[in-house]
Every structure is written in structure tokens, then in C-alpha cells.
Amino acid sequence: MSASGIRPGPRGRAVVTGLGVIAPTGIGAARHWESVLAGKSGLGRITRFDPTRYPARIAGEVPGFRAAEQIPGRLIPQTDRFTHFALAAAEAALADATADPARLPEYEMAVVTASSSGGTEFGQHEMENLYQQGSSWVGAYQSIAWFYAATTGQVSIRHGMRGPCGVIACEQAGGLDALGQSRRLLDTGSRLVLSGGTDASLCPYGLVAQLSSGQLSTEDDPARAYLPFDAAASGFVPGEGGAMLVVESAASARDRGVRPYGELLGYAAGFDPATGPRPDGTRHAVLASVIRRALADASLAPGDVDVVFADAAGVPAEDLAEARAITEVFGPGGVPVTAPKTLTGRMYAGGAALDVATALLALTAGVVPHTAGLARPADGCAIDLVLHHPRRTGPRTALVLARGHGGFTSALLVGAGDRRDPEK
Amino acid sequence: MAEFTLDDIRRILRASAGVDEQTDLDGADFADTPFADLGYDSLALLELANRIEREYGIDIPDGDLAHTQTPHEALAYVRARLAEVHA
């Protein structure tokens, strides 16, 4: 046993048996996947508040989400929108996996989510109460609704999952890190982990916090606001939503007679505190190292990877660094690269989780989805970017990349399973 | 000052802590059903106390309302506090 509590030696196989999606591309994995294949964008001018006086006005909002129809009524005033999303996605994922937590050992089930903003909108309202009316107007639920672990706690309580629960706050890389942690838990006595991430910070307080990164696009045309790897890249657009996944030991899935979407084959993470281009041109080194370590973890060679789901920052220097890292490992144009997140915007803790769900749907369908909306690749990005339409190439292995503000850098490899019916 | 009633407790619980589909706040047993059985925990009772304090201009010492077990007990407690204040 190492200091991390993880036994050395070969691991058990970790498979994904259920997907729950709440995204600007639609509610439900099937609707999301239809939008991805059709290149149907969920970006538009912000409607959740009047964005006129803010420099960034385009976002990916979840269409038609009504909490009262999706989650228990008592939890609506007690939790933030990011938790509403996760509760709905968790229920959908469990249903998709035909997993009934009441029939499984409660201490062998866990919840591990990623959160980047916490309950921002809830917190904003309570701060308004504080400053406009006084401290006695701050609601008691502020104490549990705002913080990063709120979602994990509420999902754990709702489904009676009492194993080693946790939350990971690694900005936009967190969705992959949560899945990496879920896989570890399967080796230490857990059999089923609800994992993934959601975020919902499309409120003035949340947007202003994001503006401080200087990476949000100020473009007013939704079709031009988020163009990663493109010559016209001008930053990124924020999105809300995310995905929850049922991660399960292969033995547990087999016992339950459930066919998985796919398998978590390898994972690695690193940290790169530097920002912007470096004079020595090594901006891509950490990401390249993380990719290599994920491949080693999966005992795979670069040639085994059929598609890369890029982090796709939309910021030219970051795009270039990612393209160089991919090129260094796979060779120029050595692997198809795609970024369906141009349809959703960058969804913070929810983004990488959704990318993994999209990758699993792509492997299930045998299709590499395209990156919609790009016109002209940026100079220096020597990658085989999948543009214009999906490629029906029967991919079996996908690499998902994610980078979070401040230096979080993660990679996850997923392999195809034998599931044939995305969530009905 | 209007009389404080069970309807006020129902109204404030609905607004502050929400209500589940399976919970019947309008049932005949509401007044004598323990808060826990109605799905309300200590945080819900804290929020109930906060809102009553603000709306009715009374001071409810921390924990006082949380020690009541049912809406009926809470009603009696709040009425007693109101009577003290307006005496």
C-alpha cells in the first residue's frame, strides 16, 4: 500500500455504464449527440441576465432546463443551479446504467465531482441580501449551497452513496481528474462511482470572476466568438452544464448484466504554472509529458489512439501549445483532433466531463465528430483538425485533454465498449 | 399584528426550504408530524427561524426553534414570543 492508499500492481478495469448530460447542446446524452453530429451550436447572447454592460456577452446556456421538473422540490431553494444540473444528470446516468443504488452496498458506492465555480449564482443572491438588507437576510442554505462539495454531498445523500466521496477543484481540468480519482476508488473497495462535473456561473458575479483571466472573447457574433485553432481565434465563450458518468468496476457491470459505453484506460495529470508563450518555446512540454504518461498508464502507443478531443482554449498561444504537444507525441497530422466544445463553450468543471461523455458516444457510434464553425486553421497548428463534417472511421480509442486556468493539465484515455444504445 | 398561524409556517417552509412531491404540507396531520418526517432538518428550522424573525420583528435565540419537534410546537413557541414582545 502506498501513501496514497492505492495498492501497487495491476488495476481492475474501470468501465462507464451510464451517461447523464445537461448541456447547451441539449438535455440528455441522445439529444446532445444529435446536436454534435449536426454541428448545432448552443451559443448565443446571454439571456440569464442583461449582459449589455459587460465586455463578454456570448455564452452557452442550457436550453429549457426546468429544475421543478428535474429534481426534488425541496432541493431547489436549498441548492445552486450547478447542483440542480448535477442532480438531474446523476439521476439520468443511474437510469442509463440501470443501476439502483438502493440495491447496492451503500459503502461501496461513492460520488466524486469536479467543481470550478461552486454555487456562484446562489452566493451572488445572498451577497445582495447581505449588502442591500443586512446580515439577518442571508439564508441559512448559503452555508451549504455555495461551496465546491455541495453537489457531491447532495448527490451522495439523495442516492445513499456513502463510500469515499469527494470533490476536485482543478478548474477546467477537473472533469478528467474526477474520473481519474473514480478509477482509483475502484481499486480500493468501491464498485460504483458517480463522477463528472457541472458548473453554472452565468451570473454577473460568475462572469466578472471569469473576466479576470483575460481569455474570454468579447466578440458579439456567436458564430465567431469561440474559434479554437482558427486564425480568427479571439478567446473563449463560457458555457454552463456538464455531465455525470457512472464509473463501475468491470466485474460489477458484468454482474449486473450491463454493457459499458467504454473503459477508462489511462489517466495522468501535471501542472504548468507558467502562462503565455515562453521564450524558449517549451510552453507545450507539460501537456506533452502528461499525454505520454497517460499512454504509459494505459500501456498504449501513440499509434493506438484514433481521435483526440482537444482542450481547445480558443486563445492563440494556448492553442499553439496544445497543437505542438499533440504533434510532438503523435507527429504532424498524426491523429484526428476535434473539439465539439465549440458548440457549448467552455463549461469549466463540466467541460471535460462532457468531452468524455462525447468521446464515449463517438466510440459507441464509430464516428469522429467534427469541430463546427471553423474556417481557416491558425498558422503553426500542424494538427489534423476534423472540420466540416463527422468522419465515420470506427474509432476504438480516444484521448481527452483538458487544461485549467493556473496550470492544471490532464489527459484521459477511453476505449470503446460494447454498448449500442445511447440513452433513450 | 396579524395572528401567526400554521398557514404562515407552511408558507415560510415552502419559500425557504421547498417542498417535495411526496410531502403533504396541507394534510390534516401536518401540525403534529415531526419536522424530520416532513423532510426538514436543523438547517431548515434555522432558516424558518430567520424568516420569522425578519418578518415579525422578533428575536428568536439560536436553537430555540430547532428544539421544537412539530409545526404545532413551533406555532406555540412563536405565539408565545410574539405575546412577550407585544405585552
Side-chain angles (χ1 to χ4, degrees):
Chain A
M1 191 75 77
S2 71
S4 64
I6 310 295
R7 282 186 296 270
R11 325 175 168 271
R13 293 173 53 212
V15 297
V16 176
T17 52
L19 302 177
V21 171
I22 306 282
T25 34
I27 294 171
R31 193 167 300 163
H32 163 69
W33 180 241
E34 280 172 23
S35 295
V36 168
L37 287 181
K40 188 176 159 218
S41 174
L43 305 187
R45 186 178 166 90
I46 291 171
T47 64
R48 292 190 56 76
F49 62 95
D50 179 2
T52 305
R53 294 180 298 135
Y54 298 87
R57 292 172 290 270
I58 303 296
E61 297 181 342
V62 174
F65 182 82
R66 281 177 286 276
E69 295 169 13
Q70 298 267 349
I71 66 170
R74 200 162 44 77
L75 290 174
I76 294 172
Q78 300 183 4
T79 62
D80 180 77
R81 184 171 169 89
F82 93 108
T83 303
H84 297 174
F85 285 159
L87 284 163
E91 187 171 14
L94 287 169
D96 189 32
T98 60
D100 178 2
R103 300 171 66 91
L104 295 168
E106 58 187 341
Y107 292 101
E108 293 179 26
M109 297 182 289
V111 183
V112 179
T113 65
S115 175
S116 173
S117 306
T120 319
E121 190 172 25
F122 197 105
Q124 178 186 320
H125 290 151
E126 297 303 337
M127 279 192 285
E128 287 165 359
N129 289 338
L130 175 65
Y131 295 127
Q132 292 169 10
Q133 306 190 75
S135 60
S136 69
W137 290 80
V138 176
Y141 291 107
Q142 167 69 358
S143 63
I144 59 165
W146 75 271
F147 78 138
Y148 304 112
T151 286
T152 286
Q154 295 290 0
V155 172
S156 163
I157 292 166
R158 184 166 181 216
H159 296 294
M161 305 173 102
R162 298 179 168 218
C165 297
V167 62
I168 288 176
C170 295
E171 225 264 338
Q172 316 225 16
L176 298 190
D177 300 323
L179 290 164
Q181 170 65 4
S182 301
R183 192 178 60 137
R184 288 186 196 111
L185 293 179
L186 298 185
D187 286 328
T188 54
S190 298
R191 69 165 69 191
L192 184 151
V193 185
L194 252 178
S195 190
T198 57
D199 237 326
S201 52
L202 295 180
C203 59
Y205 170 41
L207 186 70
V208 168
Q210 295 156 28
L211 286 170
S212 67
S213 73
Q215 299 191 329
L216 264 63
S217 172
T218 55
E219 172 66 55
D220 259 331
D221 177 359
R224 295 192 48 82
Y226 179 36
L227 301 172
F229 303 111
D230 195 89
S234 64
F236 72 85
V237 161
E240 63 171 4
M244 293 291 282
L245 296 82
V246 174
V247 180
E248 196 169 359
S249 68
S252 172
R254 194 173 52 240
D255 289 349
R256 297 197 306 106
V258 179
R259 291 178 168 218
Y261 285 99
E263 181 174 352
L264 307 184
L265 298 173
Y267 161 76
F271 193 76
D272 180 5
T275 53
R278 284 190 201 148
D280 63 357
T282 58
R283 183 75 182 88
H284 62 288
V286 171
L287 181 56
S289 148
V290 166
I291 296 171
R292 285 199 191 91
R293 284 188 289 119
L295 285 165
D297 184 46
S299 299
L300 292 175
D304 297 323
V305 176
D306 300 314
V307 55
V308 174
F309 285 76
D311 173 62
V315 176
E318 300 292 331
D319 289 345
L320 193 58
E322 183 171 29
R324 285 202 174 138
I326 293 169
T327 303
E328 185 175 298
V329 176
F330 296 94
V335 65
V337 178
T338 189
K341 64 173 57 141
T342 56
L343 306 174
T344 63
R346 287 173 70 78
M347 293 154 59
Y348 303 97
L354 181 64
D355 271 347
V356 174
T358 308
L360 289 165
L361 291 164
L363 298 178
T364 300
V367 170
V368 174
H370 60 302
T371 310
L374 306 194
R376 190 164 65 83
D379 288 342
C381 291
I383 52 174
D384 173 19
L385 201 57
V386 180
L387 299 172
H388 311 305
H389 49 80
R391 293 184 196 168
R392 189 166 289 279
T393 52
R396 301 295 295 166
T397 305
L399 170 67
V400 183
L401 304 179
R403 293 172 297 179
H405 185 64
F408 301 103
T409 306
S410 300
L412 183 81
L413 281 150
V414 292
D418 50 11
R419 179 83 171 229
R420 282 293 166 264
D421 56 334
E423 177 195 295
K424 290 172 197 72
Chain B
M1 171 69 61
E3 197 183 7
F4 186 78
T5 68
L6 281 173
D7 279 342
D8 293 309
I9 292 183
R10 288 192 184 92
R11 171 177 58 79
I12 294 169
L13 281 174
R14 276 202 181 89
S16 62
V19 59
D20 278 351
E21 293 65 23
Q22 62 268 34
T23 314
D24 183 11
L25 295 194
D26 297 315
D29 302 334
F30 169 73
D32 294 309
T33 306
F35 282 116
D37 294 350
L38 291 167
Y40 298 115
D41 57 12
S42 60
L43 211 49
L45 295 183
L46 181 62
E47 182 63 13
L48 177 67
N50 280 348
R51 294 202 181 210
I52 292 171
E53 283 184 316
R54 293 193 314 241
E55 195 171 324
Y56 293 86
I58 55 171
D59 193 35
I60 299 177
D62 278 354
D64 265 19
L65 205 63
H67 290 135
T68 64
Q69 301 295 316
T70 63
H72 202 178
E73 289 180 27
L75 180 70
Y77 173 85
V78 173
R79 282 181 168 173
R81 290 291 299 146
L82 284 167
E84 281 175 39
V85 171
H86 296 287

